[in-house]
């Protein structure tokens, strides 16, 4: 990545992309009962926090006056809101534990078959053989494997087959709507996607891959076919990179960097404009930034 200072952008040019970016989030907030005053207070705190920690001048104390100047928030409010500490990127324990166990089951050769798919695991087995007990113990000894299995059965992350083996279910790849795991990844994945896009906009040479393939003017059937095909291709890529990252990180010393590779798919019906002077070809097809 380049060490050049980020470029400043014309605020007026950000209005339209910001409105489009925030619209689905505002819809979620309204449905969840988070009113505008509640969001405004959160944004006020965040503005002060970001200005305090991310825009501090090297070797100089960050003053209330400078934070007020950067944010447009009155110094009295700045003084009240400062000192809360930088946001902590803490992973909830249950999310971290579940993710690490799933990642190993999907990537470790001891728990996958020749085709790379996760093996059905008996509850217990000889120490040299794959089992659910050995899988959990390879990640954490703070919880009993039976407790993990019971929880996963309740959450339908696994099912038991006719031989009483734990089989990873499709639900394991998609957290349940609104649970802690899904809400954690809502914040993490959207943060990383937006952070990558912002870094690319600010940099002279975009440092991150952030691309999409988009086609307009499709039929519903075609959109559904492309969505399913996208899922298949994306899952194959995610499995491949998970195996490679697992193998590499298992042998490497611990470090301070993190890496995130994500894929998203979205489709929606776009109603025609209210009036059109003449039929025109409005299709927009191809790979774009």
């Amino acid at each position: 990545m380049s060490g050049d200072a980020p470029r400043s952008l014309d605020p007026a040019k950000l209005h339209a992309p910001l409105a489009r970016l925030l619209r689905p989030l505002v819809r979620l907030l309204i449905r969840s009962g988070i009113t505008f005053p509640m969001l405004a207070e959160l944004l006020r705190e965040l503005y002060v926090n970001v200005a305090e920690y991310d825009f501090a001048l090297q070797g100089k104390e960050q003053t209330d006056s400078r934070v007020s100047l950067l944010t447009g928030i009155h110094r009295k409010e700045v003084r009240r809101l400062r000192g809360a500490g930088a946001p902590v990127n803490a992973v909830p324990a249950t999310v971290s534990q579940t993710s690490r166990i799933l990642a190993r089951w999907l990537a470790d050769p001891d728990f996958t078959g020749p085709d790379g798919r996760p093996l059905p695991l008996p509850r217990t087995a000889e120490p040299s053989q794959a089992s659910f007990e050995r899988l959990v113990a390879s990640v954490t000894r703070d919880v009993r494997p039976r407790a993990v299995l019971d929880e996963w059965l309740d959450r339908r992350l696994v099912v038991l087959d006719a031989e009483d083996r734990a089989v990873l279910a499709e639900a394991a790849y998609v957290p349940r709507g609104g649970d802690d795991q899904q809400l954690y990844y809502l914040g993490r994945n959207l943060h990383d996607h937006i952070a990558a896009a912002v870094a690319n906009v600010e940099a002279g040479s975009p440092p991150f891959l952030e691309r999409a393939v988009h086609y307009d003017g499709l039929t519903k059937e075609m959109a559904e076919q492309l969505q399913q095909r996208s899922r298949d291709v994306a899952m194959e890529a995610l499995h491949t990179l998970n195996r490679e990252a697992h193998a590499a990180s298992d042998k490497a010393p611990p470090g301070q960097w993190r890496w995130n590779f994500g894929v998203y798919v979205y489709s929606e019906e776009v109603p025609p404009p209210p009036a059109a002077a003449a039929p025109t070809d409005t299709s927009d097809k191809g790979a774009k930034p």
Side-chain angles (χ1 to χ4, degrees), residues 49-68:
N49 188 276
V50 170
E52 180 178 3
Y53 290 97
D54 294 9
F55 287 82
L57 298 175
Q58 189 172 5
K60 293 186 178 182
E61 182 183 357
Q62 187 72 305
T63 65
D64 292 348
S65 295
R66 185 163 188 272
V67 172
S68 177

Side-chain angles (χ1 to χ4, degrees), residues 200-250:
N200 289 346
V201 168
E202 292 180 333
S205 177
F208 295 110
L209 174 67
E210 202 269 324
R211 296 287 185 269
V213 177
H214 51 88
Y215 279 66
D216 295 345
L218 304 176
T219 63
K220 178 183 178 182
E221 292 72 22
M222 191 179 300
E224 290 175 346
Q225 291 174 10
L226 287 170
Q227 184 173 173
Q228 183 56 54
R229 177 58 179 152
S230 301
R231 289 175 180 270
D232 296 339
V233 172
M235 290 304 298
E236 182 179 348
L238 290 169
H239 283 311
T240 298
L241 285 169
N242 179 52
R243 287 193 296 269
E244 294 181 7
H246 174 80
S249 62
D250 236 19

